[in-house]
């Protein structure tokens, strides 16, 4: 599954904690270890605070408990996508302005006039 995530590079993955052959925590850990640029939202019916803390420490973007409200999912996903878009924009602007100000300025200094 991690190979598919790496190949597709989705902005957001909704990942259940309990999967047939591997746990969601293991997948989350592999996504973060391999530095795949995808945000992971963990889904579970386990509402223990310890589980949520563990997910967030491993790098989950958010944590939703089942049954969840579809509006809540939309809000979480929209926030993640918006945050990623803003990060991209800031990165672009920093690069643009950095390159713009590296150029030499040619000109004459005029004395101040009163």
């Amino acid at each position: 599954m991690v190979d598919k995530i790496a190949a597709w590079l989705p902005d957001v993955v909704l990942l259940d904690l309990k999967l047939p052959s591997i746990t969601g925590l293991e997948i989350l850990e592999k996504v973060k270890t391999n530095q795949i640029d995808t945000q992971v939202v963990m889904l579970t019916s386990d509402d223990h605070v310890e589980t949520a803390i563990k997910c967030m420490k491993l790098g989950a973007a958010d944590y939703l408990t089942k049954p969840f409200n579809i509006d809540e999912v939309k809000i979480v996903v929209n926030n993640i996508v918006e945050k990623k878009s803003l990060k991209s924009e800031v990165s672009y602007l920093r690069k643009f302005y950095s390159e713009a100000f590296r150029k030499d300025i040619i000109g004459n200094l005029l004395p101040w006039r009163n």
Side-chain angles (χ1 to χ4, degrees):
M1 180 175 280
V2 176
D3 295 336
K4 287 182 182 179
I5 294 171
W8 294 344
L9 283 177
D11 290 333
V12 182
V13 171
L14 302 177
L15 182 62
D16 202 316
L17 274 174
K18 294 182 183 176
L19 299 171
S21 60
I22 187 171
T23 69
L25 284 176
E26 290 171 314
I27 294 173
L28 172 62
E29 194 168 13
K30 288 180 182 182
V31 166
K32 294 305 174 181
T33 301
N34 293 322
Q35 298 179 344
I36 300 171
D37 189 21
T38 297
Q39 297 298 309
V40 179
V41 177
M42 301 304 294
L43 307 173
T44 185
S45 57
D46 178 2
D47 61 352
H48 292 98
V49 174
E50 296 82 19
T51 307
I53 290 171
K54 189 171 187 178
C55 290
M56 300 307 279
K57 280 185 177 181
L58 285 174
D62 212 326
Y63 178 92
L64 298 172
T65 55
K66 298 179 203 174
F68 46 79
N69 180 329
I70 195 67
D71 290 332
E72 182 181 10
V73 175
K74 287 179 184 179
I75 290 169
V76 167
V77 171
N78 283 336
N79 286 343
I80 291 169
V81 170
E82 185 177 332
K83 185 176 178 181
K84 183 171 183 170
S85 175
L86 288 172
K87 280 184 177 182
S88 293
E89 186 176 345
V90 167
S91 177
Y92 169 78
L93 290 172
R94 282 182 179 160
K95 181 180 177 187
F96 176 78
Y97 283 113
S98 174
E99 289 174 5
F101 289 113
R102 282 190 201 146
K103 298 177 182 176
D104 294 329
I105 298 174
I106 300 173
N108 294 324
L109 293 176
L110 297 174
W112 289 100
R113 296 180 187 190
N114 291 332

